[in-house]
Amino acid sequence: MKKLRNFLLAVIVAATGVANAQTTPVQPPLLSLEAFAAKLNHAKNAQILDARSGEEFVQNHIKGAVNVDAKVADYQQRLDALSKDKPTFVYSIANGRSKVLSNELRAKGFKDVEELPGGLANWIGSGYPIISTTKKGVSLTKAEFTELTGSSQLVLVDFGSRYCGACKKLVPVLDSLKAKTGFTPKIISIEVYDNTGLAKELKVNVLPTLVLYQNKKEVWKKQGFSSVSQVEAVVAQTTSSIAKTK
């Protein structure tokens, strides 16, 4: 009886595994940015889906894209209106929301879904074109930015966005550094959505990105999250080098 029970259990587990394998969509590896751009450029009847919020979409987006924000009431209706047979290109600011949407589309039976590697931040920083509605006077010119980096001997620039989840995790770190009496660099935060031209020129293609400038010269650059201790260590090393040259 025990052997029969174990046998039936094994059959059930095996059957469940087969069912899951049949229903779980295969997630292909991401194309390189160059390959993604080339495929998008040559695709016929391409569907370009922007998985960000409507507010983000209005500010900037890839030409021809439509907004499919998962938080809006008619989200499913927007997906149902799409063709499963047309090549579909998906992006968000990084690869968070776009990954969720890509997987959902594949589960629905979409045949050709490509996700923008590194998201719109990578697209902009690598010099690919976008539709932007940034108002004049909001964005910095390269000359204005260079002047900012020379406003103190050491300037720490935070390239991020209020819409970026990873960027929000860096805010407490920067606040903590600002509160430290012994922390000498001036901290400047740049909203990349308002400064897409600057991000392109400086090749900032990951958010957040921290850059330390010494007398307008870049001496350190870090993509992604940085801890208080990591930043302090770099600043200490840079300060020590400055002292040795005097």
Side-chain angles (χ1 to χ4, degrees), residues 124 130 132 139-140 192 194-203:
I124 292 172
I130 59 166
S132 177
S139 58
L140 293 168
V192 170
D194 294 333
N195 292 275
T196 54
L198 184 63
K200 174 182 176 180
E201 192 166 357
L202 297 175
K203 293 181 171 57

Side-chain angles (χ1 to χ4, degrees), residues 98-119:
S98 60
K99 182 178 181 180
V100 173
L101 176 56
S102 296
N103 287 340
E104 184 173 356
L105 292 174
R106 293 188 185 105
K108 285 178 174 290
F110 280 70
K111 296 177 181 179
D112 185 8
V113 180
E114 297 292 354
E115 185 184 353
L116 174 58

Side-chain angles (χ1 to χ4, degrees), residues 11-191:
V11 171
I12 292 171
V13 170
T16 302
V18 171
N20 287 337
Q22 291 175 340
T23 57
T24 302
V26 177
Q27 183 178 344
L30 296 181
L31 296 175
S32 67
L33 181 60
E34 294 77 12
F36 179 95
K39 184 172 181 178
L40 174 59
N41 186 48
H42 293 95
K44 294 182 179 179
N45 300 317
Q47 299 175 131
I48 309 173
L49 309 183
D50 186 317
R52 301 173 301 159
S53 68
E55 182 181 1
E56 293 171 87
F57 179 80
V58 168
Q59 292 183 59
N60 50 62
H61 55 267
I62 295 176
K63 184 178 180 180
V66 294
N67 187 218
V68 284
D69 182 2
K71 294 183 179 180
V72 298
D74 64 344
Y75 171 69
Q76 286 301 328
Q77 288 92 319
R78 295 188 187 189
L79 295 190
D80 292 340
L82 299 169
S83 170
K84 296 180 180 180
D85 298 318
K86 293 180 180 179
T88 304
F89 300 83
V90 183
Y91 70 89
S92 56
I93 191 169
N95 283 120
R97 289 170 287 183
S98 60
K99 182 178 181 180
V100 173
L101 176 56
S102 296
N103 287 340
E104 184 173 356
L105 292 174
R106 293 188 185 105
K108 285 178 174 290
F110 280 70
K111 296 177 181 179
D112 185 8
V113 180
E114 297 292 354
E115 185 184 353
L116 174 58
L120 193 62
N122 190 23
W123 181 269
I124 292 172
S126 299
Y128 289 96
I130 59 166
I131 303 297
S132 177
T133 59
T134 301
K135 296 178 182 178
K136 291 182 179 180
V138 175
S139 58
L140 293 168
T141 65
K142 181 66 181 301
E144 291 170 334
F145 176 76
T146 301
E147 189 172 341
L148 276 178
T149 61
S151 58
S152 182
Q153 185 178 36
L154 289 176
V155 176
L156 181 65
V157 181
D158 162 39
F159 291 95
S161 174
R162 57 188 176 276
Y163 305 104
C164 165
C167 302
K168 293 175 182 178
K169 294 179 181 178
L170 192 60
V171 172
V173 171
L174 298 175
D175 288 343
S176 178
L177 291 170
K178 290 176 184 177
K180 287 180 175 286
T181 54
F183 189 77
T184 55
K186 180 179 181 180
I187 298 177
I188 297 173
S189 292
I190 302 292
E191 171 59 61

